[in-house]
Amino acid sequence: MIDVTPRKAFRNITPALVWIAIGVILALILLFSSFFMVDQKEEAVVLNLGKFSRMVGPGLHFKVPFGVEKNYNVPTQRILKEEFGFRTLESGVVSTFSNQDFSSESIMLTGDLNIIDVEWIIQYQITDARAWLFGVDNQEKTIRDISQSVINMLVGDRTIFDVIGAERANIEVRGADLMNELYKSYGLGIRVTTVKLQNIVPPKGAVQDAFEDVNKAIQDRSRLINEGKEAYNQSIPRASGQADQTIQESQGYATERVNIARGDVSRFLAVLGEYRQAPDVVRTRLYYEMYDQVFGGAVGTDLIDKNLKNFLPLKSIGGGAPAAPLPAPNPSGPNPSAPNPPAPAAQGGTQ
């Protein structure tokens, strides 16, 4: 037989406890449905019975509970991104990309009727949370459709070489301006901050190989030009510096020689003036100065009179005696038979 007698715990439940439990549950629902949190980078739109009521900023806020008022947090301070032609699975130092084919978004026709594969991204920021929520039905699809139409139009107005090279930056700037105009006209409540063309290549095959060869040749040309400019910048300043140094050294040498010559002339003129006033004195001084210049640094040389008959008695056995004094020049002037002043003979050692 089965015991269907109510257990003791259930027998203790009274209507009062049931009402208390219901009250606690209602209080918790009231508590959790009366407050909501808005993040620092968000802005909340509050609806009252489905109708717009107000907008609030970051922080803890109160709302009418039990679903009478609902809040929708919108990330107005974040930069959002859309990718075209590829998808990034994981960002980082080494990003991971999806292997899925998105060429339907990136294959375009250029103005010179060439096909090109253009991958790009747009970065945008929500500027009006209310317009973002209620302006259009599908925000992401609208953003992607407008961005694709703008880039297709800009690429279609240019040749393939312009898209790859010179007009790339212009397409990015012009694309951002056109997208912002269209998003504003649609009342989407966003502002495009960046349009960046990522990878621009011709379709795979022989055409892509040829374009890669051209790009490699262009890069080699740029590298050689930069190397030539680097060599030029290294050689020309050095050569100019050496030329300036040589010129300055030549100018310095010329100035030195001119100053020496002027000094010699001034000295000669000074001696000439003194000679005209006292010829004998000047002649004697020049005579001694000449001997001082010629034999001033000589070592082991004795100056003697050439008329000296015996030199040995003048030299001591233990060491050299002072050299004989130079004969004084004849004040009366030179004598044909005995030149004035008499020139002593220069001899080394003992004779």
Side-chain angles (χ1 to χ4, degrees):
M1 297 190 53
I2 300 176
D3 185 8
V4 293
T5 304
R7 295 182 180 274
K8 184 177 181 180
F10 290 101
R11 289 199 301 268
N12 293 334
I13 295 177
T14 62
L17 291 176
V18 173
W19 284 110
I20 292 174
I22 294 174
V24 170
I25 293 173
L26 291 177
L28 292 175
I29 294 176
L30 177 65
L31 178 64
F32 285 105
S33 62
S34 298
F35 298 94
F36 64 96
M37 179 68 69
V38 181
D39 189 75
Q40 251 183 346
K41 296 183 178 180
E42 295 178 339
E43 192 173 6
V45 177
V46 180
L47 303 182
N48 190 335
L49 296 177
K51 185 178 179 180
F52 175 78
S53 174
R54 64 188 182 277
M55 297 179 63
V56 296
L60 182 65
H61 301 278
F62 172 80
K63 65 179 178 179
V64 179
F66 301 110
V68 177
E69 285 188 343
K70 293 184 178 180
N71 65 286
Y72 297 90
N73 294 1
V74 180
T76 55
Q77 300 299 320
R78 295 177 184 174
I79 300 299
L80 307 176
K81 182 177 69 171
E82 291 291 338
E83 299 173 337
F84 299 85
F86 69 101
R87 298 291 186 274
T88 302
L89 299 179
E90 184 178 355
S91 300
V93 178
V94 180
S95 299
T96 304
F97 300 96
S98 174
N99 294 326
Q100 188 176 350
D101 184 18
F102 297 98
S103 60
S104 60
E105 300 174 349
S106 57
I107 294 295
M108 305 178 189
L109 187 66
T110 63
D112 55 353
L113 303 181
N114 283 302
I115 298 176
I116 192 170
D117 189 357
V118 182
E119 297 177 354
W120 79 97
I121 65 169
I122 65 169
Q123 293 179 336
Y124 63 93
Q125 184 178 5
I126 300 174
T127 56
D128 188 344
R130 181 178 179 182
W132 170 258
L133 290 176
F134 308 115
V136 296
D137 182 35
N138 192 330
Q139 298 95 334
E140 182 180 350
K141 187 175 185 304
T142 304
I143 291 173
R144 297 187 67 85
D145 290 345
I146 292 177
S147 181
Q148 283 185 257
S149 65
V150 168
I151 298 299
N152 272 274
M153 180 188 68
L154 294 175
V155 171
D157 290 340
R158 291 163 174 80
T159 65
I160 187 171
F161 290 104
D162 289 338
V163 175
I164 294 177
E167 289 292 320
R168 181 168 185 157
N170 189 25
I171 292 175
E172 295 174 346
V173 175
R174 183 59 179 160
D177 294 338
L178 291 176
M179 290 178 197
N180 282 326
E181 292 177 5
L182 292 173
Y183 293 145
K184 184 177 180 181
S185 65
Y186 274 77
L188 196 55
I190 68 171
R191 179 178 61 87
V192 175
T193 59
T194 304
V195 175
K196 185 68 175 177
L197 302 183
Q198 298 285 60
N199 190 25
I200 304 177
V201 295
K204 295 181 180 180
V207 178
Q208 185 175 4
D209 295 338
F211 269 89
E212 289 178 354
D213 292 339
V214 172
N215 289 332
K216 184 178 179 181
I218 293 174
Q219 293 173 1
D220 291 341
R221 182 188 65 179
S222 301
R223 177 177 55 80
L224 293 175
I225 290 174
N226 293 333
E227 290 178 356
K229 289 181 179 179
E230 182 180 359
Y232 175 87
N233 293 333
Q234 290 178 352
S235 301
I236 296 303
R238 181 170 62 249
S240 299
Q242 293 176 351
D244 293 339
Q245 181 182 0
T246 303
I247 292 173
Q248 292 175 2
E249 290 177 353
S250 301
Q251 292 174 348
Y253 179 75
T255 302
E256 179 184 4
R257 298 303 300 171
V258 170
N259 292 335
I260 292 175
R262 288 177 178 174
D264 292 342
V265 171
S266 299
R267 184 167 56 253
F268 177 79
L269 293 177
V271 173
L272 178 61
E274 296 294 330
Y275 181 80
R276 288 175 178 174
Q277 295 179 6
D280 296 335
V281 175
V282 174
R283 185 185 299 113
T284 302
R285 190 188 69 181
L286 293 176
Y287 175 78
Y288 287 127
E289 287 178 355
M290 181 274 294
Y291 266 91
D292 181 63
Q293 293 176 2
V294 173
F295 298 103
V299 179
T301 301
D302 297 321
L303 300 179
I304 62 175
D305 188 353
K306 67 178 181 178
N307 296 323
L308 186 62
K309 301 301 183 181
N310 190 358
F311 182 63
L312 290 177
L314 300 177
K315 303 289 287 187
S316 63
I317 300 301
L326 295 173
N330 187 0
S332 62
N335 189 346
S337 60
N340 185 31
Q347 298 181 6
T350 302
Q351 297 183 359

